[in-house]
Amino acid sequence: MYEGFVSLNEGLEETRVITAKFSERLYYNLTFLHQNNELKVADGLRIGMQIRDSVSSLMHYLNEMKLLLIVKCENKTRTEIEALDTLISLKHLNNYDDYITPETILFGENEAKLRRGQFSAFHLVNTADRFIAFSDSLLTSANLSVPDSYLFEYITDYDWLRSNIRHKPLAAIIALISKLQLDIKLQEQVVISNIIDKG
């Protein structure tokens, strides 16, 4: 099981690197069109940069969530975890099957009273909600259609978090968050491509 999650997470992370390069190219094209007065969407560059910053902030948040989970489960310092590159590879986890610590961090100790602070499952849903609402409002203000995506369906569904994260081992949760990061990057590309392709 552990080796499967290690392989899955590495594949997700490698794919995210590739998508990041494609995103850079999209932003280059967006800037080029703007500089040559060929961008047909009013304020298209500003909207694109705001989407980029919002996605970057969300990626950072999810990386910090993964780091917190690993630090707490492994009982190591942040420096030790980062030095081993455990965040990306998962190869050096000793407590990969720990499901109690992640659940306490994400949901709290009392099932009747869910934890709501930073890096909780509840806070993750709210953060994702704000990202989606912000993205939608930018597109609507530019008279652009909001792209359909399954990301919008599952990322803000608290039941998705409860069924996919609760009672799950650390390795599975990290891989799931990596998938979420990749999905957000793919959604970013759809949005920026829409701005570029608007005819």
Side-chain angles (χ1 to χ4, degrees), residues 2 7-8 13 59 91 98 116 121 123 140 153 155 198:
Y2 176 46
S7 177
L8 174 62
E13 291 290 359
M59 290 296 107
K91 286 180 180 175
D98 182 353
R116 293 178 178 257
H123 191 262
T140 302
E153 296 173 7
I155 192 174
K198 176 72 172 176

Side-chain angles (χ1 to χ4, degrees), residues 11-191:
L12 291 167
E13 291 290 359
E14 287 172 11
T15 304
R16 188 154 63 99
V17 170
I18 294 169
T19 60
K21 290 178 181 177
F22 183 70
S23 293
E24 289 174 10
R25 186 69 186 169
L26 282 175
Y27 285 114
Y28 172 84
N29 292 342
L30 182 69
T31 304
F32 179 82
L33 289 172
H34 172 76
Q35 290 174 342
N36 290 280
N37 296 316
E38 296 177 18
L39 192 61
K40 297 178 182 179
V41 176
D43 293 327
L45 182 65
R46 178 186 60 80
I47 292 169
M49 295 303 105
Q50 287 180 309
I51 294 289
R52 183 194 62 185
D53 293 345
S54 181
V55 168
S56 176
S57 176
L58 192 49
M59 290 296 107
H60 177 74
Y61 175 83
L62 292 170
N63 277 335
E64 289 296 310
M65 176 178 272
K66 290 196 290 189
L67 186 59
L68 172 66
L69 290 166
I70 293 171
V71 164
K72 294 295 185 183
C73 289
E74 295 293 285
N75 195 27
K76 293 182 178 178
T77 66
R78 179 187 185 113
T79 303
E80 289 174 309
I81 297 300
E82 290 176 333
L84 291 172
D85 199 24
T86 303
L87 189 63
I88 301 299
S89 69
L90 299 185
K91 286 180 180 175
H92 304 288
L93 292 179
N94 294 314
N95 300 316
Y96 59 87
D97 57 349
D98 182 353
Y99 65 91
I100 296 173
T101 306
E103 183 162 331
T104 302
I105 293 169
L106 296 169
F107 294 96
E109 296 179 0
N110 185 350
E111 191 163 335
K113 186 178 181 183
L114 295 173
R115 183 173 173 269
R116 293 178 178 257
Q118 189 175 32
F119 301 123
S120 66
F122 181 85
H123 191 262
L124 173 58
V125 168
N126 283 344
T127 302
D129 272 336
R130 287 194 302 272
F131 164 70
I132 291 170
F134 177 69
S135 174
D136 287 358
S137 68
L138 287 175
L139 294 176
T140 302
S141 70
N143 295 317
L144 289 168
S145 59
V146 176
D148 292 330
S149 171
Y150 71 97
L151 173 63
F152 289 89
E153 296 173 7
Y154 85 80
I155 192 174
T156 59
D157 185 355
Y158 189 77
D159 288 334
W160 169 80
L161 284 172
R162 192 160 35 213
S163 62
N164 286 283
I165 292 181
R166 198 153 213 174
H167 306 304
K168 299 297 188 293
L170 173 65
I173 294 172
I174 298 301
L176 195 68
I177 295 174
S178 293
K179 180 187 183 304
L180 178 57
Q181 289 179 300
L182 177 59
D183 291 339
I184 291 167
K185 290 298 293 180
L186 292 172
Q187 186 67 21
E188 172 191 28
Q189 292 178 2
V190 169
V191 171

